Amino acid sequence: MNILIVYSHPSKKSYTFQVLEQLKSAIAKQNWNFEVSDLYASNFQSDMSEEEYEREGFVKLNLLISKDVLAEQQKIEKADCIIFLYPVWWSDCPAKLKGWFDRVFSVGYAYGQTDDFPKMKTIPFGLVICTAGHPNAFLTEIKMAQSMETIMLEDRLGKRFENKEMLILGGTLELEKVMENHFSQIKEAVDKIKNYLT
C-alpha cells in the first residue's frame, strides 16, 4: 500500500502539523509505505510560468513539463491513496496547494488526454483533510462546507479518483474542545483507507 500525503502548511507550530503527525503515526501502524510531499518545505513553485500557461491554455503538448511537476506526477503514479492536508484560508486551500493543482494536474496528463501522451492513472481513494477555525455546523449553515466539498471533490479530484471523501476538522478556534475528537476521526479515516484498498 502506497500513500501520498500532499501537505500544505508553512509552520511546524501549527495545529495542521499536529494533525500531520497523528496521520503519519496512524498510517505507520498499518505498515504501509507513505511519502509526504511537503509543499512549503520543498518550496514548491505555485505560480504557473508563461510557458506553462501556453502549454495549458493553448494545449501545446510539445512544450516540456517542469522537473518539479514531473516529480509530483511520478509520486501520483506510485500512489494507491492520496491524502490532501491543509488549513482552510479564506474558504479554500492555501495558494501553494492551489498552485499544485494548477501545475501538476497538467493538460494531457490529468485532463485533455491524447493517445500519445501518458495519462494520469485513476487513484483508488482520495481523502481531503482540512483544519478550520469555525465549527462544522457553522460552515454547513453558511454553505461553506458544501462549497469546499464541491470544489475539492468534484472539480479537483473529480473522476481521477474512484472514491473520495472530505474530512473537515472544524472548531479549531477552541482547540481544547475538539482535539481529542479530531484525532479519533483521523484514526477512523485511516480505517476507511484500509476498507477501500484491502
Side-chain angles (χ1 to χ4, degrees), residues 6-74:
V6 181
Y7 173 68
S8 185
H9 199 295
S11 176
K12 290 184 177 177
K13 297 178 181 177
S14 69
Y15 180 57
T16 307
F17 183 77
Q18 290 183 54
V19 171
L20 174 65
E21 293 300 293
Q22 289 287 322
L23 185 59
K24 285 163 56 178
S25 176
I27 290 171
K29 287 176 183 174
Q30 302 297 326
N31 292 315
W32 297 336
N33 301 314
F34 72 90
E35 181 175 13
V36 179
S37 195
D38 188 330
L39 303 187
Y40 280 90
S42 65
N43 196 25
F44 182 80
Q45 177 64 41
S46 57
D47 294 342
M48 187 181 287
S49 68
E50 183 175 359
E51 186 173 82
E52 284 175 319
Y53 169 74
E54 288 183 8
R55 190 179 187 284
E56 295 297 308
F58 303 115
V59 195
K60 293 185 178 179
L61 298 183
N62 59 313
L63 295 176
L64 295 177
I65 296 177
S66 300
K67 287 181 181 178
D68 62 337
V69 168
L70 284 173
E72 294 299 306
Q73 291 178 351
Q74 287 166 3

Side-chain angles (χ1 to χ4, degrees), residues 77-102:
E77 293 306 308
K78 290 189 296 185
D80 300 303
C81 170
I82 302 179
I83 302 171
F84 299 92
L85 173 58
Y86 61 91
V88 175
W89 291 348
W90 294 106
S91 309
D92 200 357
C93 61
K96 283 273 189 201
L97 182 54
K98 174 58 168 65
W100 186 93
F101 284 109
D102 288 345

Side-chain angles (χ1 to χ4, degrees), residues 10 17 20 33 39 41 43 66 76 81 87 98 105 113 124 143 166-167 182 186 193:
F17 183 77
L20 174 65
N33 301 314
L39 303 187
N43 196 25
S66 300
I76 289 171
C81 170
K98 174 58 168 65
F105 278 14
Q113 290 94 347
K143 295 186 169 49
M166 187 170 197
L167 174 59
H182 285 179
I186 291 165
I193 295 171

Side-chain angles (χ1 to χ4, degrees), residues 167-181:
L167 174 59
I168 301 173
L169 302 176
T172 63
L173 294 176
E174 296 183 282
L175 203 49
E176 66 284 350
K177 293 183 179 180
V178 297
M179 188 182 293
E180 185 178 344
N181 179 257

